Amino acid sequence: MTETAESTKLILASASSVRQTLLRNAGLEFEAVDSRADEDAIKAGFAEGDLERDAATDALALKLAEEKALAVSARFPGALVIGADQILSCMGKRYDKPKSMSEARANLTEFRGRAHILHSGLVLVKDGATVWRHSARAVLTMRAFSDRFLDHYLAETGSMVMKSVGCYQLEGPGVQLFDRIEGDYFSILGLPMLPLLAELRRHGVVRA
């Protein structure tokens, strides 16, 4: 029995398997559609120096989420579209998903012994109009792990490290990288579930 009302089609504007799993585990019925949005073009509108201000980085995460949802909404009239994205910032620098194992190693070396911030943006769009926005932050502090541990971690996780911007999955061996984690677990995974579910209930998409 689904918890999603049949009158409104719910779409996740993402190909992320993690976000799909979160929605599915919550009992929601939805369709996942890749937005095909040009993320590089959107990011190019934000100067690197802006990332030193947390509010500007929040705005970039929201912009990415919104553009994804708007692109999908144009193809599905009447549907309620979820757009979500996440930006990692560390020491005033923005990081994207690594494109190689060597880049993943370099990123983890830079994160080691430091705190980084995950900025999550979440929106709901219907018929080309954004009806709700939400921002969330999580601060994660990596321990000063040894090069030997890093070698072991990369060998154990393999190419999976390239599937997330931080080169880790907290639900797996990645949790061993950290000394401290401050923030909502779902936000760290890129989909703040509790505020999303509350808003879906308000729209009558999920039973109250």
Side-chain angles (χ1 to χ4, degrees):
M1 176 179 170
T2 180
E3 283 296 319
T4 305
E6 296 181 0
S7 58
T8 303
K9 184 179 183 66
L10 185 64
I11 298 177
L12 173 66
S14 174
S16 166
S17 59
V18 172
R19 292 182 181 121
Q20 291 177 44
T21 297
L22 290 176
L23 291 178
R24 194 173 296 113
N25 287 349
L28 300 184
E29 183 177 311
F30 66 97
E31 181 178 350
V33 177
D34 191 345
S35 69
R36 302 193 294 269
D38 188 345
E39 295 187 32
D40 290 338
I42 299 168
K43 291 176 182 177
F46 286 76
E48 192 77 9
D50 288 342
L51 295 170
E52 296 177 3
R53 302 192 300 274
D54 286 341
T57 314
D58 292 341
L60 174 55
L62 277 172
K63 182 66 173 176
L64 287 163
E66 188 170 44
E67 290 300 323
K68 290 179 177 181
L70 287 170
V72 172
S73 179
R75 291 144 54 192
F76 294 89
L80 192 62
V81 182
I82 302 168
D85 214 306
Q86 191 176 64
I87 298 292
L88 186 154
S89 65
C90 182
M91 305 292 288
K93 180 180 176 182
R94 182 180 72 212
Y95 290 80
D96 295 316
K97 290 180 183 178
K99 296 179 175 61
S100 66
M101 292 298 290
S102 59
E103 186 179 351
R105 176 185 292 275
N107 288 356
L108 286 168
T109 300
E110 291 185 28
F111 300 156
R112 177 167 55 185
R114 294 189 173 102
H116 64 261
I117 303 175
L118 292 176
H119 305 257
S120 292
L122 182 61
V123 303
L124 288 175
V125 169
K126 186 172 184 179
D127 292 326
T130 302
V131 297
W132 180 71
R133 294 179 178 86
H134 177 79
S135 293
R137 297 177 194 161
V139 181
L140 296 89
T141 304
M142 284 195 179
R143 64 187 183 86
F145 47 80
S146 66
D147 287 340
R148 183 178 178 184
F149 173 83
L150 180 57
D151 290 340
H152 172 76
Y153 172 75
L154 291 172
E156 183 177 3
T157 55
S159 61
M160 287 296 294
V161 298
M162 295 186 286
K163 294 186 179 295
S164 70
V165 66
C167 308
Y168 54 80
Q169 287 79 39
L170 281 185
E171 63 273 29
V175 71
Q176 295 189 43
L177 295 166
F178 294 95
D179 268 337
R180 182 186 303 172
I181 295 174
E182 303 169 74
D184 174 66
Y185 177 73
F186 297 111
S187 298
I188 293 169
L189 295 186
L191 192 67
M193 286 295 295
L194 298 183
L196 174 62
L197 289 170
E199 189 64 15
L200 291 177
R201 284 192 289 269
R202 195 178 75 82
H203 283 272
V205 179
V206 175
R207 293 182 181 89

